[in-house]
Amino acid sequence: MTDKPTVLIAEDEETIVESLAFLMEKEGFSVRIATNGQSAIDMIGQDIPDMILLDVMMPGRDGFDVARTIRANDQTKHVPIMMLTARTREIDRRKGLELGVDDFVTKPFSTRDVVARVKALLARNLSTAPTASPSSSPSSSSSS
């Protein structure tokens, strides 16, 4: 296991994958790549990433279906999801947000902006993660 945050890029456009993966790795992220919806779900099942960049239109299962599957699983429902899409209709954005997607980025986009948004989402997710309760500590005060 690595101490670097892991980002799964689920995208079927090779140029986007190469650009995002290069910048993510340069910024210290561990990157995994899925080129279709089913392989993304399979990879998430094997090792849950810290963040998912999810294309809407992919072969097989689309990004909406993948997001629905992620959010329905107790083990993965907390993982931040950023959807990447060429779709610009408000209904598509609303559908993603209703499924629990954390951010929605329309193509074409600046890969540097996406990296900055990933960092912000991860920071927000870490700051809202539940912490362990100190009540089980053996050094808690006892009244006599």
Side-chain angles (χ1 to χ4, degrees), residues 54-110:
L54 183 60
D55 184 21
V56 171
M57 295 183 287
M58 288 186 293
R61 299 175 77 169
D62 71 14
F64 293 126
D65 189 35
V66 173
R68 187 177 300 107
T69 301
I70 293 166
R71 291 297 184 241
N73 182 324
D74 285 340
Q75 299 297 311
T76 59
K77 66 183 180 184
H78 68 281
V79 178
I81 300 171
M82 179 185 299
M83 290 200 101
L84 310 173
T85 183
R87 296 180 177 186
T88 58
R89 297 183 340 198
E90 181 62 30
I91 194 165
D92 293 320
R93 175 182 285 276
R94 191 174 19 211
K95 183 176 180 180
L97 294 173
E98 287 171 358
L99 288 170
V101 169
D102 298 279
D103 201 356
F104 213 94
V105 179
T106 304
K107 297 175 187 176
F109 51 76
S110 158

Side-chain angles (χ1 to χ4, degrees), residues 133-143:
S133 171
S135 63
S136 61
S137 170
S139 63
S140 31
S141 64
S142 59
S143 351

Side-chain angles (χ1 to χ4, degrees), residues 6-54:
T6 301
V7 176
L8 173 64
I9 301 173
E11 168 67 65
D12 62 326
E13 290 184 44
E14 190 175 335
T15 55
I16 292 174
V17 170
E18 288 175 358
S19 179
L20 283 173
F22 174 78
L23 280 176
M24 291 288 181
E25 288 170 347
K26 186 176 173 187
E27 291 294 323
F29 293 99
S30 175
V31 175
R32 293 170 37 219
I33 298 165
T35 56
N36 63 62
Q38 187 58 53
S39 67
I41 290 170
D42 293 344
M43 291 175 82
I44 293 164
Q46 293 169 8
D47 186 27
I48 299 171
D50 297 298
M51 173 83 192
I52 301 166
L53 301 181
L54 183 60

